[in-house]
Amino acid sequence: MVWSREALIGYLYGQGAKTRENDGRKFAVPTTATHLLGGTGFPAGLFTDSRNEELSAIIFTNACAISKLSRVSISSGADTKGLRYTRIGNFFDRTPGALKGIPFCLDITSEEYKTLWPQHYEPWCAEMEVFHNPFARYPFPKALLPEVTHWFELGGEIVCESFYETSILWSQTIIQKQSDRIITLDDFVADPT
């Protein structure tokens, strides 16, 4: 589930990006694809023309797992039963030109974690995304799922509109005994030197 989000965008819209470097500065260059990678020759771009106009949208999440059930209840105050729940992953970096997410490692019972969302706990709809078909005969109404991230065409470009400021690209939940050593971001991020 970690990489399926990027693959889905490429499959649906036939678009992606590659990293290039110029004068020591890295930047993204848009790419297009007509077929998925691999030997199957499977076509990319499900939403690139009107052939699939009967399909209004794809609803996706990369966080549909048992750990989500634990995080929602525990971040809203449920008993941890002597366990520690730590979430590691990458936040979406909204800085223009950013090429990577922002690494994080947070205890889900902490105030820092709870304040990532206005409800003061992780909502069920966090990490849910709706990919709209620009050629849909019956467009999917955004108002049907107002608190999710919507991908849609605007002025010939596919844009992403998020309800929550916090957007997590991928994550993993580590469950430990309270008596175990507390893990930190340094346990997961290699030293760049």
Side-chain angles (χ1 to χ4, degrees):
M1 291 189 335
V2 170
W3 305 116
S4 55
R5 181 177 182 268
E6 285 78 12
L8 182 60
I9 294 168
Y11 170 63
L12 294 177
Y13 300 111
Q15 298 179 9
K18 290 186 178 184
T19 303
R20 298 282 187 243
E21 189 170 333
N22 188 8
D23 294 328
R25 187 179 147 265
K26 291 184 179 182
F27 58 96
V29 175
T31 61
T32 58
T34 56
H35 291 82
L36 301 182
L37 296 176
T40 64
F42 198 84
L46 187 69
F47 289 169
T48 57
D49 59 42
S50 63
R51 286 177 295 167
N52 298 298
E53 67 184 7
E54 299 302 326
L55 182 57
S56 297
I58 298 289
I59 300 172
F60 168 80
T61 180
N62 64 0
C64 186
I66 288 291
S67 56
K68 177 73 165 184
L69 297 172
S70 298
R71 288 194 315 266
V72 169
S73 60
I74 291 170
S75 68
S76 63
D79 186 4
T80 63
K81 300 185 189 305
L83 298 173
R84 177 183 302 112
Y85 292 77
T86 305
R87 190 173 186 190
I88 62 166
N90 272 329
F91 291 124
F92 177 72
D93 186 348
R94 296 184 188 283
T95 307
L99 299 177
K100 294 183 178 181
I102 302 167
F104 71 90
C105 179
L106 296 169
D107 181 327
I108 66 168
T109 63
S110 69
E111 285 303 305
E112 184 180 7
Y113 187 78
K114 291 177 182 184
T115 57
L116 293 175
W117 297 279
Q119 300 92 327
H120 208 66
Y121 62 87
E122 181 179 341
W124 286 108
C125 56
E127 290 91 48
M128 184 178 285
E129 300 179 85
V130 175
F131 294 90
H132 295 262
N133 182 353
F135 296 96
R137 182 181 304 206
Y138 304 104
F140 184 90
K142 289 183 195 175
L144 214 61
L145 292 169
E147 294 182 17
V148 305
T149 297
H150 291 273
W151 294 80
F152 56 95
E153 184 181 27
L154 182 65
E157 183 180 357
I158 301 300
V159 296
C160 173
E161 182 179 274
S162 300
F163 178 83
Y164 295 109
E165 181 63 29
T166 298
S167 189
I168 297 174
L169 298 174
W170 68 267
S171 74
Q172 183 177 11
T173 303
I174 310 294
I175 304 171
Q176 304 173 279
K177 295 178 191 172
Q178 284 285 355
S179 58
D180 290 348
R181 180 183 72 81
I182 297 173
I183 59 175
T184 67
L185 190 57
D186 291 337
D187 294 320
F188 301 97
V189 178
D191 184 4
T193 57

